[in-house]
Amino acid sequence: LTSKIDQDSSKSAQLKEEVRVLESELAALTKEQAVMDKIRMETHEDYAVAKKDLDLGLSGLRKALRLLRDYYGGGAAALLQDDKFGSFMQQPAMPEKHSKAAGAGDSILGILEVVESDFATNLAKEESEEEDAQTSYDKMTQENKIAKTTKEQDVKYKVQESKSLDTFIAETSGDRDTTNTELAAVDEYYSKIKERCIA
């Protein structure tokens, strides 16, 4: 009986230690998730700012390119007014020495097209990195949720088992004490009888 109580006491102590370890792991997991949430929020905010800037820059570049293409690409007709308005407002004749610098225009358009391409590439890169970061975050969050649930269930069952063992130990210790008291009474009675028989 004593060995059973010692064995159960040892197992109960071991379960309590395992619960303590699991609770510290749960606390660490919760802290890690909070750090991940904060980092993810910060990277998403950085992405939102960068995306807004790149979209704005790309939009402005495309407008500039459209204007310059219209100007250098024969878009002069677009600048002329319709006939009704044109008859009312007479434009002065264009100076004869004025000519569009097509070569310079082409090089400006070329530079702006390269810049537009760079902006579009950077925007695609930012979007790809954001998508990858979100996917990674979602995966880690899901793994943490599973680990947390598993550890919480382990804690629950180990605490329950430990309490059950403690109850059993208390009851068994009471039984042992009662048995020892009865044994002591029997031993005392036996020694008295033994003295009477021998004397």
Side-chain angles (χ1 to χ4, degrees):
L1 198 56
T2 302
S3 66
K4 175 69 174 154
I5 291 172
D6 291 343
Q7 188 179 21
D8 287 347
S9 294
S10 172
K11 186 171 183 183
S12 177
Q14 180 184 356
L15 286 171
K16 289 175 184 174
E17 177 61 22
E18 289 173 4
V19 166
R20 189 190 63 72
V21 169
L22 284 170
E23 287 175 340
S24 69
E25 289 174 0
L26 280 168
L29 190 65
T30 301
K31 186 177 180 181
E32 177 185 326
Q33 184 65 42
V35 169
M36 279 179 40
D37 292 345
K38 182 181 178 189
I39 290 171
R40 180 66 196 117
M41 187 174 68
E42 289 171 357
T43 58
H44 181 71
E45 288 171 357
D46 292 346
Y47 160 76
V49 168
K51 183 178 183 340
K52 181 181 174 188
D53 291 346
L54 288 169
D55 280 339
L56 201 60
L58 205 52
S59 171
L61 269 171
R62 287 179 177 155
K63 286 178 185 175
L65 279 168
R66 197 171 30 252
L67 260 167
L68 290 172
R69 283 185 186 126
D70 287 346
Y71 180 76
Y72 286 111
L79 297 176
L80 294 178
Q81 306 297 328
D82 62 2
D83 286 337
K84 292 178 190 174
F85 189 72
S87 63
F88 179 69
M89 295 285 293
Q90 293 294 322
Q91 294 288 329
M94 191 179 274
E96 290 183 27
K97 292 186 176 185
H98 174 73
S99 65
K100 298 175 186 174
D106 287 344
S107 65
I108 291 172
L109 283 173
I111 290 170
L112 288 177
E113 286 170 351
V114 169
V115 171
E116 177 192 27
S117 172
D118 289 347
F119 270 49
T121 301
N122 288 342
L123 180 61
K125 180 181 171 191
E126 286 287 333
E127 289 174 344
S128 174
E129 287 175 357
E130 170 66 11
E131 187 177 319
D132 291 345
Q134 185 63 42
T135 301
S136 175
Y137 170 78
D138 290 342
K139 181 181 175 187
M140 282 300 296
T141 299
Q142 186 62 31
E143 288 174 5
N144 286 346
K145 283 180 183 178
I146 291 169
K148 182 179 179 188
T149 302
T150 302
K151 289 176 190 282
E152 285 174 344
Q153 289 301 314
D154 283 351
V155 165
K156 178 182 171 184
Y157 291 121
K158 288 182 182 203
V159 165
Q160 189 176 15
E161 186 178 354
S162 174
K163 284 181 180 179
S164 174
L165 283 172
D166 289 345
T167 302
F168 178 76
I169 290 167
E171 290 172 357
T172 307
S173 293
D175 291 346
R176 180 185 65 186
D177 292 344
T178 302
T179 303
N180 285 341
T181 303
E182 290 173 359
L183 180 61
V186 168
D187 283 344
E188 183 182 329
Y189 181 73
Y190 175 71
S191 66
K192 285 180 184 177
I193 291 180
K194 190 174 174 186
E195 288 176 14
R196 285 185 188 171
C197 291
I198 298 176

